[in-house]
Amino acid sequence: MQHTKIALTGASGFVGKELQKHFRECVIIKRDDNETDILKKLQNVDVVINLAGAPIVQRWSEAYKKVLYRSRIETTKRLVSAINRSHVSYFISTSAIGIYPNSTSCDEKCTQFDNGFLGTLCQAWEAEARKCVKPTAILRFGVVLGKEGGALKKMLLPFKLGMGGTIGSGEMMMSWIALSDLMHMYQFLVQHRYEGIFNAVTPKPVSNKVFTKSLGKALKRPTFLPLPEFVLKLFYGEGASILLDSKEVYPKAIEEKGFVFEYEEIGLIFRSKDV
């Protein structure tokens, strides 16, 4: 990526680590930094990328829900307050496609939102980001696929052991993006300074059944053992909704700006060196 000094929250996560490889100069903002600390770190910073947030694929106890909320909302609130007092010229914050309703085809013009915990969390998160007075973009992440971590890393072991299979009926839709395309999307936004909401997903979402068959084929492993929904609910409780919800989401806004995906088809990502 071009020589742009950025500050980054959520630097220890899957996407944060990858961004540090792409930007030459990177200032790390920690979750427990106060506003004064952040303001010092923002000196001579051009762009801030906000990825703060505790891992979402966990069991959602009432206590952990508070962690999920604080790690996103409170961190973003402090960050935005500091950015508004700084010379930062551009802000990219994060959200998730969990904001959209289930089993509904959506692009960024969708005005319906999910009223469950994740949907309301995303709405509150975006509301804090919108308080930024600098040009702001918000990326709504789908499932990010890359070999170094994230959802795919958790899935690989059962598949390699021949125990990968569809979840429930396998009919739920999954909106995903290759990690390399996500990096190019950040590069594209930083270069052009576009503002607004952008869905960070490929234009070709797939059903869980298609995803499972594609991954099994790439790994040359069987995929005939289905994973019952109740098993996921036993492990994750309400948090299983991340894996069970059906989200059919399209990246219309970024495509209208001229962005081109390298990995549109699920089969391409599994055949690439990136996985």
Side-chain angles (χ1 to χ4, degrees), residues 8-17 20 28-29 49-53:
L8 185 65
T9 64
S12 62
F14 174 45
V15 175
K17 285 176 182 172
Q20 289 172 73
I28 308 302
I29 296 172
I49 297 176
N50 179 27
L51 291 163

Side-chain angles (χ1 to χ4, degrees), residues 11-25:
S12 62
F14 174 45
V15 175
K17 285 176 182 172
E18 194 68 18
L19 279 169
Q20 289 172 73
K21 296 177 191 173
H22 285 261
F23 283 99
R24 290 185 211 163
E25 274 195 277

Side-chain angles (χ1 to χ4, degrees), residues 60-250:
W60 293 353
S61 63
E62 289 309 309
Y64 195 66
K65 282 183 178 180
K66 288 174 183 169
V67 171
L68 289 171
Y69 190 90
R70 280 197 309 270
S71 64
R72 286 162 174 76
I73 311 306
E74 298 304 322
T75 308
T76 301
K77 188 180 287 187
R78 279 197 307 277
L79 181 64
V80 166
S81 184
I83 290 170
N84 288 346
R85 295 168 58 198
S86 75
H87 294 292
V88 167
S89 64
Y90 188 53
F91 178 44
I92 306 177
S93 199
T94 308
S95 183
I97 61 168
I99 198 169
Y100 295 115
N102 271 333
S103 306
T104 307
S105 174
C106 288
D107 60 28
E108 293 87 354
K109 290 188 173 72
C110 184
T111 54
Q112 285 180 282
F113 293 126
D114 182 85
N115 58 8
F117 173 73
L118 187 57
T120 52
L121 175 66
C122 288
Q123 289 174 68
W125 198 7
E126 292 185 10
E128 290 304 327
R130 284 199 191 94
K131 292 176 185 174
C132 186
V133 298
K134 308 299 176 78
T136 299
I138 298 173
L139 283 181
R140 289 175 177 164
F141 280 20
V143 178
V144 183
L145 298 178
K147 64 182 175 183
E148 298 301 324
L152 191 60
K153 191 172 185 181
K154 291 183 179 180
M155 293 174 196
L156 284 178
L157 183 59
F159 273 88
K160 285 176 177 175
L161 294 173
M163 295 192 296
T166 55
I167 296 173
S169 68
E171 297 304 315
M172 70 280 279
M173 294 298 289
M174 174 179 160
S175 296
W176 60 279
I177 186 169
L179 181 61
S180 59
D181 273 334
L182 182 59
M183 292 302 109
H184 293 146
M185 196 176 284
Y186 277 110
Q187 181 179 11
F188 185 78
L189 289 172
V190 168
Q191 183 180 349
H192 297 286
R193 305 296 165 105
Y194 290 129
E195 298 179 62
I197 302 288
F198 299 95
N199 291 331
V201 293
T202 174
K204 296 188 178 176
V206 293
S207 68
N208 175 259
K209 191 179 287 181
V210 168
F211 175 84
T212 300
K213 296 294 180 194
S214 298
L215 181 52
K217 186 178 176 184
L219 295 172
K220 298 183 172 61
R221 290 292 186 274
T223 56
F224 55 79
L225 284 176
L227 179 60
E229 292 187 13
F230 80 85
V231 174
L232 287 172
K233 287 175 180 172
L234 280 174
F235 273 104
Y236 296 115
E238 193 184 343
S241 62
I242 294 287
L243 303 166
L244 297 174
D245 286 352
S246 181
K247 303 293 182 184
E248 184 184 349
V249 179
Y250 297 91

